[in-house]
Amino acid sequence: KEIRGIEAPGAHFGVEAEEIDAGGKTVLPGLMDIHAHFNLYTQNVLEMLVEDPATAAFNAAIGAKEYLRQGYT
C-alpha cells in the first residue's frame, strides 16, 4: 500500500482511497538513510576497483532503485 496523504478523521478521501485508523500509532512514511553507498553491491572490493566507470554507474543506479523499492527515502 502507498501512503499518498494524511487527513483529519472523517475527511473525504475519494472512492479509490482506503481509510486506515492509525490512532495511537506512529506513522512512518518511509525509512530515511542519510548515508548510503549505492555502488557497494558485492563483498569483492577488487571487483569494484577494476570496474569501468560506466558499469559502476549502472550498478549504482540499480542499487539506488532497490533502496527506493524497499522504502528508503
Side-chain angles (χ1 to χ4, degrees), residues 15-55:
V15 292
E16 75 284 347
E18 175 186 355
E19 184 174 347
I20 300 171
D21 182 5
K25 298 181 175 70
T26 301
V27 177
L28 181 66
L31 302 172
M32 292 170 239
D33 193 345
I34 306 303
H35 184 100
H37 295 273
F38 299 131
N39 60 331
L40 296 179
Y41 58 89
T42 179
Q43 296 288 331
N44 187 343
V45 178
L46 181 59
E47 180 182 335
M48 290 185 295
L49 290 174
V50 298
E51 191 171 57
D52 68 276
T55 302

mmCIF file of all heavy atoms in Angstrom, residues 15-55:
data_model
loop_
_atom_site.group_PDB
_atom_site.id
_atom_site.type_symbol
_atom_site.label_atom_id
_atom_site.label_comp_id
_atom_site.label_asym_id
_atom_site.label_seq_id
_atom_site.Cartn_x
_atom_site.Cartn_y
_atom_site.Cartn_z
ATOM 1 N N VAL A 15 -13.174 7.712 -3.842
ATOM 2 C CA VAL A 15 -13.571 6.309 -3.948
ATOM 3 C C VAL A 15 -12.382 5.349 -4.010
ATOM 4 O O VAL A 15 -12.501 4.206 -3.627
ATOM 5 C CB VAL A 15 -14.490 6.079 -5.170
ATOM 6 C CG1 VAL A 15 -15.822 6.763 -4.971
ATOM 7 C CG2 VAL A 15 -13.810 6.545 -6.442
ATOM 8 N N GLU A 16 -11.230 5.795 -4.498
ATOM 9 C CA GLU A 16 -10.095 4.881 -4.658
ATOM 10 C C GLU A 16 -9.245 4.762 -3.392
ATOM 11 O O GLU A 16 -8.325 3.968 -3.336
ATOM 12 C CB GLU A 16 -9.210 5.301 -5.836
ATOM 13 C CG GLU A 16 -8.332 6.524 -5.581
ATOM 14 C CD GLU A 16 -9.056 7.858 -5.622
ATOM 15 O OE1 GLU A 16 -10.198 7.923 -6.083
ATOM 16 O OE2 GLU A 16 -8.457 8.852 -5.176
ATOM 17 N N ALA A 17 -9.556 5.554 -2.364
ATOM 18 C CA ALA A 17 -8.734 5.559 -1.149
ATOM 19 C C ALA A 17 -9.320 4.639 -0.082
ATOM 20 O O ALA A 17 -10.517 4.386 -0.043
ATOM 21 C CB ALA A 17 -8.620 6.977 -0.607
ATOM 22 N N GLU A 18 -8.449 4.153 0.759
ATOM 23 C CA GLU A 18 -8.848 3.344 1.899
ATOM 24 C C GLU A 18 -8.426 4.074 3.168
ATOM 25 O O GLU A 18 -7.275 4.477 3.307
ATOM 26 C CB GLU A 18 -8.148 1.974 1.842
ATOM 27 C CG GLU A 18 -8.411 1.106 3.044
ATOM 28 C CD GLU A 18 -7.602 -0.182 3.029
ATOM 29 O OE1 GLU A 18 -6.907 -0.446 2.024
ATOM 30 O OE2 GLU A 18 -7.662 -0.899 4.027
ATOM 31 N N GLU A 19 -9.356 4.255 4.070
ATOM 32 C CA GLU A 19 -9.048 4.930 5.324
ATOM 33 C C GLU A 19 -8.526 3.905 6.327
ATOM 34 O O GLU A 19 -9.133 2.858 6.537
ATOM 35 C CB GLU A 19 -10.300 5.614 5.889
ATOM 36 C CG GLU A 19 -10.016 6.415 7.133
ATOM 37 C CD GLU A 19 -11.213 7.208 7.602
ATOM 38 O OE1 GLU A 19 -12.189 7.348 6.842
ATOM 39 O OE2 GLU A 19 -11.168 7.688 8.740
ATOM 40 N N ILE A 20 -7.388 4.213 6.920
ATOM 41 C CA ILE A 20 -6.773 3.334 7.919
ATOM 42 C C ILE A 20 -6.718 4.097 9.233
ATOM 43 O O ILE A 20 -6.145 5.185 9.298
ATOM 44 C CB ILE A 20 -5.356 2.908 7.493
ATOM 45 C CG1 ILE A 20 -5.422 2.152 6.171
ATOM 46 C CG2 ILE A 20 -4.691 2.071 8.573
ATOM 47 C CD1 ILE A 20 -4.069 1.872 5.560
ATOM 48 N N ASP A 21 -7.313 3.548 10.276
ATOM 49 C CA ASP A 21 -7.292 4.189 11.590
ATOM 50 C C ASP A 21 -5.939 3.921 12.231
ATOM 51 O O ASP A 21 -5.623 2.807 12.617
ATOM 52 C CB ASP A 21 -8.414 3.641 12.458
ATOM 53 C CG ASP A 21 -8.472 4.318 13.829
ATOM 54 O OD1 ASP A 21 -7.701 5.282 14.063
ATOM 55 O OD2 ASP A 21 -9.284 3.874 14.660
ATOM 56 N N ALA A 22 -5.115 4.964 12.326
ATOM 57 C CA ALA A 22 -3.784 4.840 12.925
ATOM 58 C C ALA A 22 -3.743 5.502 14.293
ATOM 59 O O ALA A 22 -2.675 5.866 14.784
ATOM 60 C CB ALA A 22 -2.739 5.449 12.000
ATOM 61 N N GLY A 23 -4.916 5.633 14.910
ATOM 62 C CA GLY A 23 -4.983 6.250 16.230
ATOM 63 C C GLY A 23 -4.099 5.530 17.230
ATOM 64 O O GLY A 23 -4.114 4.302 17.332
ATOM 65 N N GLY A 24 -3.283 6.292 17.957
ATOM 66 C CA GLY A 24 -2.390 5.711 18.953
ATOM 67 C C GLY A 24 -1.151 5.057 18.370
ATOM 68 O O GLY A 24 -0.382 4.424 19.081
ATOM 69 N N LYS A 25 -0.947 5.201 17.081
ATOM 70 C CA LYS A 25 0.211 4.587 16.412
ATOM 71 C C LYS A 25 1.098 5.673 15.806
ATOM 72 O O LYS A 25 0.697 6.805 15.649
ATOM 73 C CB LYS A 25 -0.263 3.619 15.333
ATOM 74 C CG LYS A 25 -1.073 2.459 15.881
ATOM 75 C CD LYS A 25 -1.483 1.533 14.772
ATOM 76 C CE LYS A 25 -2.181 0.311 15.288
ATOM 77 N NZ LYS A 25 -3.501 0.554 15.830
ATOM 78 N N THR A 26 2.293 5.302 15.467
ATOM 79 C CA THR A 26 3.211 6.207 14.788
ATOM 80 C C THR A 26 3.205 5.878 13.301
ATOM 81 O O THR A 26 3.368 4.721 12.927
ATOM 82 C CB THR A 26 4.643 6.047 15.344
ATOM 83 O OG1 THR A 26 4.616 6.337 16.743
ATOM 84 C CG2 THR A 26 5.610 6.983 14.651
ATOM 85 N N VAL A 27 3.013 6.881 12.468
ATOM 86 C CA VAL A 27 3.016 6.688 11.014
ATOM 87 C C VAL A 27 4.397 7.053 10.506
ATOM 88 O O VAL A 27 4.867 8.172 10.703
ATOM 89 C CB VAL A 27 1.938 7.554 10.343
ATOM 90 C CG1 VAL A 27 1.995 7.397 8.825
ATOM 91 C CG2 VAL A 27 0.567 7.180 10.862
ATOM 92 N N LEU A 28 5.053 6.112 9.857
ATOM 93 C CA LEU A 28 6.388 6.314 9.305
ATOM 94 C C LEU A 28 6.284 6.214 7.789
ATOM 95 O O LEU A 28 6.121 5.121 7.250
ATOM 96 C CB LEU A 28 7.352 5.260 9.859
ATOM 97 C CG LEU A 28 8.798 5.343 9.415
ATOM 98 C CD1 LEU A 28 9.443 6.617 9.954
ATOM 99 C CD2 LEU A 28 9.565 4.135 9.936
ATOM 100 N N PRO A 29 6.349 7.342 7.058
ATOM 101 C CA PRO A 29 6.136 7.306 5.619
ATOM 102 C C PRO A 29 7.237 6.611 4.827
ATOM 103 O O PRO A 29 7.044 6.202 3.711
ATOM 104 C CB PRO A 29 6.040 8.780 5.229
ATOM 105 C CG PRO A 29 6.782 9.490 6.295
ATOM 106 C CD PRO A 29 6.611 8.681 7.553
ATOM 107 N N GLY A 30 8.395 6.468 5.378
ATOM 108 C CA GLY A 30 9.488 5.808 4.673
ATOM 109 C C GLY A 30 10.695 5.718 5.582
ATOM 110 O O GLY A 30 10.781 6.395 6.597
ATOM 111 N N LEU A 31 11.605 4.851 5.252
ATOM 112 C CA LEU A 31 12.843 4.739 6.009
ATOM 113 C C LEU A 31 13.831 5.740 5.455
ATOM 114 O O LEU A 31 14.025 5.829 4.254
ATOM 115 C CB LEU A 31 13.389 3.315 5.908
ATOM 116 C CG LEU A 31 12.433 2.229 6.390
ATOM 117 C CD1 LEU A 31 12.999 0.851 6.066
ATOM 118 C CD2 LEU A 31 12.189 2.357 7.878
ATOM 119 N N MET A 32 14.460 6.508 6.316
ATOM 120 C CA MET A 32 15.387 7.542 5.864
ATOM 121 C C MET A 32 16.826 7.092 6.112
ATOM 122 O O MET A 32 17.169 6.712 7.217
ATOM 123 C CB MET A 32 15.105 8.851 6.588
ATOM 124 C CG MET A 32 13.784 9.447 6.193
ATOM 125 S SD MET A 32 13.369 10.805 7.244
ATOM 126 C CE MET A 32 11.825 10.217 7.891
ATOM 127 N N ASP A 33 17.616 7.111 5.083
ATOM 128 C CA ASP A 33 19.022 6.748 5.183
ATOM 129 C C ASP A 33 19.826 7.981 4.789
ATOM 130 O O ASP A 33 19.797 8.409 3.645
ATOM 131 C CB ASP A 33 19.337 5.575 4.264
ATOM 132 C CG ASP A 33 20.688 4.960 4.550
ATOM 133 O OD1 ASP A 33 21.500 5.594 5.254
ATOM 134 O OD2 ASP A 33 20.944 3.856 4.071
ATOM 135 N N ILE A 34 20.524 8.558 5.741
ATOM 136 C CA ILE A 34 21.260 9.783 5.497
ATOM 137 C C ILE A 34 22.553 9.524 4.723
ATOM 138 O O ILE A 34 23.078 10.390 4.050
ATOM 139 C CB ILE A 34 21.577 10.489 6.844
ATOM 140 C CG1 ILE A 34 20.292 10.694 7.649
ATOM 141 C CG2 ILE A 34 22.299 11.787 6.642
ATOM 142 C CD1 ILE A 34 19.215 11.483 6.947
ATOM 143 N N HIS A 35 23.069 8.314 4.789
ATOM 144 C CA HIS A 35 24.338 7.992 4.147
ATOM 145 C C HIS A 35 24.220 6.616 3.502
ATOM 146 O O HIS A 35 23.896 5.644 4.176
ATOM 147 C CB HIS A 35 25.457 7.990 5.191
ATOM 148 C CG HIS A 35 26.811 7.753 4.606
ATOM 149 N ND1 HIS A 35 27.689 8.779 4.350
ATOM 150 C CD2 HIS A 35 27.427 6.613 4.220
ATOM 151 C CE1 HIS A 35 28.795 8.270 3.847
ATOM 152 N NE2 HIS A 35 28.661 6.963 3.749
ATOM 153 N N ALA A 36 24.458 6.530 2.225
ATOM 154 C CA ALA A 36 24.342 5.247 1.532
ATOM 155 C C ALA A 36 25.400 5.143 0.438
ATOM 156 O O ALA A 36 25.818 6.146 -0.134
ATOM 157 C CB ALA A 36 22.958 5.109 0.918
ATOM 158 N N HIS A 37 25.842 3.924 0.180
ATOM 159 C CA HIS A 37 26.775 3.636 -0.918
ATOM 160 C C HIS A 37 26.048 2.727 -1.906
ATOM 161 O O HIS A 37 25.983 1.521 -1.720
ATOM 162 C CB HIS A 37 28.030 2.924 -0.391
ATOM 163 C CG HIS A 37 28.859 3.770 0.522
ATOM 164 N ND1 HIS A 37 29.822 4.622 0.053
ATOM 165 C CD2 HIS A 37 28.837 3.912 1.863
ATOM 166 C CE1 HIS A 37 30.384 5.254 1.067
ATOM 167 N NE2 HIS A 37 29.803 4.839 2.185
ATOM 168 N N PHE A 38 25.488 3.314 -2.927
ATOM 169 C CA PHE A 38 24.731 2.529 -3.898
ATOM 170 C C PHE A 38 25.616 1.584 -4.696
ATOM 171 O O PHE A 38 25.144 0.630 -5.275
ATOM 172 C CB PHE A 38 23.981 3.447 -4.859
ATOM 173 C CG PHE A 38 22.994 4.345 -4.175
ATOM 174 C CD1 PHE A 38 22.986 5.695 -4.444
ATOM 175 C CD2 PHE A 38 22.087 3.849 -3.267
ATOM 176 C CE1 PHE A 38 22.075 6.532 -3.834
ATOM 177 C CE2 PHE A 38 21.172 4.669 -2.641
ATOM 178 C CZ PHE A 38 21.165 6.017 -2.930
ATOM 179 N N ASN A 39 26.891 1.875 -4.743
ATOM 180 C CA ASN A 39 27.796 1.053 -5.551
ATOM 181 C C ASN A 39 28.372 -0.132 -4.780
ATOM 182 O O ASN A 39 29.139 -0.894 -5.335
ATOM 183 C CB ASN A 39 28.932 1.908 -6.112
ATOM 184 C CG ASN A 39 29.757 2.557 -5.009
ATOM 185 O OD1 ASN A 39 29.237 2.833 -3.934
ATOM 186 N ND2 ASN A 39 31.020 2.805 -5.279
ATOM 187 N N LEU A 40 28.018 -0.297 -3.513
ATOM 188 C CA LEU A 40 28.530 -1.441 -2.744
ATOM 189 C C LEU A 40 27.561 -2.610 -2.866
ATOM 190 O O LEU A 40 26.780 -2.901 -1.985
ATOM 191 C CB LEU A 40 28.727 -1.046 -1.276
ATOM 192 C CG LEU A 40 29.766 0.034 -1.027
ATOM 193 C CD1 LEU A 40 29.851 0.353 0.457
ATOM 194 C CD2 LEU A 40 31.131 -0.399 -1.536
ATOM 195 N N TYR A 41 27.614 -3.282 -3.990
ATOM 196 C CA TYR A 41 26.686 -4.371 -4.281
ATOM 197 C C TYR A 41 27.347 -5.742 -4.135
ATOM 198 O O TYR A 41 26.706 -6.760 -4.321
ATOM 199 C CB TYR A 41 26.123 -4.230 -5.699
ATOM 200 C CG TYR A 41 27.202 -4.202 -6.748
ATOM 201 C CD1 TYR A 41 27.655 -5.368 -7.318
ATOM 202 C CD2 TYR A 41 27.792 -2.997 -7.117
ATOM 203 C CE1 TYR A 41 28.671 -5.346 -8.247
ATOM 204 C CE2 TYR A 41 28.792 -2.968 -8.047
ATOM 205 C CZ TYR A 41 29.234 -4.148 -8.609
ATOM 206 O OH TYR A 41 30.246 -4.113 -9.523
ATOM 207 N N THR A 42 28.640 -5.754 -3.814
ATOM 208 C CA THR A 42 29.361 -7.022 -3.689
ATOM 209 C C THR A 42 30.355 -6.921 -2.537
ATOM 210 O O THR A 42 30.782 -5.825 -2.168
ATOM 211 C CB THR A 42 30.111 -7.368 -5.000
ATOM 212 O OG1 THR A 42 30.823 -8.596 -4.813
ATOM 213 C CG2 THR A 42 31.078 -6.291 -5.414
ATOM 214 N N GLN A 43 30.720 -8.050 -1.992
ATOM 215 C CA GLN A 43 31.739 -8.105 -0.945
ATOM 216 C C GLN A 43 33.147 -8.096 -1.540
ATOM 217 O O GLN A 43 34.124 -7.897 -0.838
ATOM 218 C CB GLN A 43 31.554 -9.383 -0.105
ATOM 219 C CG GLN A 43 30.243 -9.427 0.644
ATOM 220 C CD GLN A 43 30.219 -8.463 1.807
ATOM 221 O OE1 GLN A 43 31.234 -8.144 2.392
ATOM 222 N NE2 GLN A 43 29.034 -7.980 2.141
ATOM 223 N N ASN A 44 33.242 -8.295 -2.858
ATOM 224 C CA ASN A 44 34.525 -8.361 -3.543
ATOM 225 C C ASN A 44 34.990 -6.950 -3.911
ATOM 226 O O ASN A 44 34.621 -6.397 -4.949
ATOM 227 C CB ASN A 44 34.401 -9.244 -4.793
ATOM 228 C CG ASN A 44 35.724 -9.487 -5.465
ATOM 229 O OD1 ASN A 44 36.700 -8.774 -5.226
ATOM 230 N ND2 ASN A 44 35.756 -10.493 -6.314
ATOM 231 N N VAL A 45 35.815 -6.347 -3.059
ATOM 232 C CA VAL A 45 36.283 -4.981 -3.272
ATOM 233 C C VAL A 45 37.128 -4.879 -4.540
ATOM 234 O O VAL A 45 37.035 -3.902 -5.287
ATOM 235 C CB VAL A 45 37.072 -4.480 -2.043
ATOM 236 C CG1 VAL A 45 37.619 -3.080 -2.275
ATOM 237 C CG2 VAL A 45 36.190 -4.509 -0.806
ATOM 238 N N LEU A 46 37.950 -5.870 -4.835
ATOM 239 C CA LEU A 46 38.773 -5.855 -6.044
ATOM 240 C C LEU A 46 37.897 -5.758 -7.294
ATOM 241 O O LEU A 46 38.220 -5.023 -8.223
ATOM 242 C CB LEU A 46 39.667 -7.096 -6.098
ATOM 243 C CG LEU A 46 40.601 -7.190 -7.297
ATOM 244 C CD1 LEU A 46 41.550 -5.981 -7.339
ATOM 245 C CD2 LEU A 46 41.395 -8.479 -7.265
ATOM 246 N N GLU A 47 36.800 -6.480 -7.296
ATOM 247 C CA GLU A 47 35.879 -6.433 -8.437
ATOM 248 C C GLU A 47 35.381 -5.006 -8.672
ATOM 249 O O GLU A 47 35.304 -4.528 -9.807
ATOM 250 C CB GLU A 47 34.689 -7.360 -8.178
ATOM 251 C CG GLU A 47 33.658 -7.393 -9.292
ATOM 252 C CD GLU A 47 32.483 -8.286 -8.945
ATOM 253 O OE1 GLU A 47 32.636 -9.211 -8.132
ATOM 254 O OE2 GLU A 47 31.397 -8.035 -9.495
ATOM 255 N N MET A 48 35.066 -4.291 -7.596
ATOM 256 C CA MET A 48 34.582 -2.911 -7.730
ATOM 257 C C MET A 48 35.696 -1.966 -8.163
ATOM 258 O O MET A 48 35.467 -1.015 -8.903
ATOM 259 C CB MET A 48 33.978 -2.427 -6.413
ATOM 260 C CG MET A 48 32.663 -3.109 -6.082
ATOM 261 S SD MET A 48 31.871 -2.435 -4.611
ATOM 262 C CE MET A 48 33.035 -2.884 -3.342
ATOM 263 N N LEU A 49 36.930 -2.203 -7.722
ATOM 264 C CA LEU A 49 38.049 -1.321 -8.053
ATOM 265 C C LEU A 49 38.442 -1.375 -9.525
ATOM 266 O O LEU A 49 38.908 -0.388 -10.078
ATOM 267 C CB LEU A 49 39.261 -1.649 -7.181
ATOM 268 C CG LEU A 49 39.135 -1.283 -5.702
ATOM 269 C CD1 LEU A 49 40.349 -1.789 -4.929
ATOM 270 C CD2 LEU A 49 38.973 0.215 -5.526
ATOM 271 N N VAL A 50 38.264 -2.532 -10.160
ATOM 272 C CA VAL A 50 38.668 -2.676 -11.564
ATOM 273 C C VAL A 50 37.504 -2.449 -12.534
ATOM 274 O O VAL A 50 37.684 -2.503 -13.736
ATOM 275 C CB VAL A 50 39.306 -4.066 -11.824
ATOM 276 C CG1 VAL A 50 40.562 -4.233 -10.992
ATOM 277 C CG2 VAL A 50 38.316 -5.185 -11.563
ATOM 278 N N GLU A 51 36.337 -2.164 -12.002
ATOM 279 C CA GLU A 51 35.158 -1.956 -12.832
ATOM 280 C C GLU A 51 35.250 -0.614 -13.573
ATOM 281 O O GLU A 51 35.687 0.381 -13.006
ATOM 282 C CB GLU A 51 33.947 -1.954 -11.899
ATOM 283 C CG GLU A 51 32.617 -2.021 -12.556
ATOM 284 C CD GLU A 51 31.539 -2.232 -11.507
ATOM 285 O OE1 GLU A 51 31.438 -1.408 -10.574
ATOM 286 O OE2 GLU A 51 30.821 -3.216 -11.627
ATOM 287 N N ASP A 52 34.850 -0.603 -14.838
ATOM 288 C CA ASP A 52 34.886 0.655 -15.588
ATOM 289 C C ASP A 52 33.788 1.588 -15.062
ATOM 290 O O ASP A 52 32.784 1.136 -14.516
ATOM 291 C CB ASP A 52 34.736 0.401 -17.086
ATOM 292 C CG ASP A 52 33.359 -0.096 -17.450
ATOM 293 O OD1 ASP A 52 33.133 -1.320 -17.329
ATOM 294 O OD2 ASP A 52 32.512 0.725 -17.829
ATOM 295 N N PRO A 53 33.984 2.912 -15.188
ATOM 296 C CA PRO A 53 33.047 3.883 -14.613
ATOM 297 C C PRO A 53 31.601 3.742 -15.096
ATOM 298 O O PRO A 53 30.677 3.933 -14.316
ATOM 299 C CB PRO A 53 33.621 5.232 -15.026
ATOM 300 C CG PRO A 53 35.082 4.973 -15.219
ATOM 301 C CD PRO A 53 35.164 3.573 -15.748
ATOM 302 N N ALA A 54 31.406 3.406 -16.355
ATOM 303 C CA ALA A 54 30.039 3.272 -16.875
ATOM 304 C C ALA A 54 29.315 2.102 -16.206
ATOM 305 O O ALA A 54 28.149 2.221 -15.817
ATOM 306 C CB ALA A 54 30.065 3.083 -18.388
ATOM 307 N N THR A 55 30.006 0.991 -16.058
ATOM 308 C CA THR A 55 29.408 -0.169 -15.384
ATOM 309 C C THR A 55 29.150 0.134 -13.921
ATOM 310 O O THR A 55 28.107 -0.234 -13.370
ATOM 311 C CB THR A 55 30.319 -1.408 -15.522
ATOM 312 O OG1 THR A 55 30.514 -1.677 -16.917
ATOM 313 C CG2 THR A 55 29.705 -2.628 -14.864
#
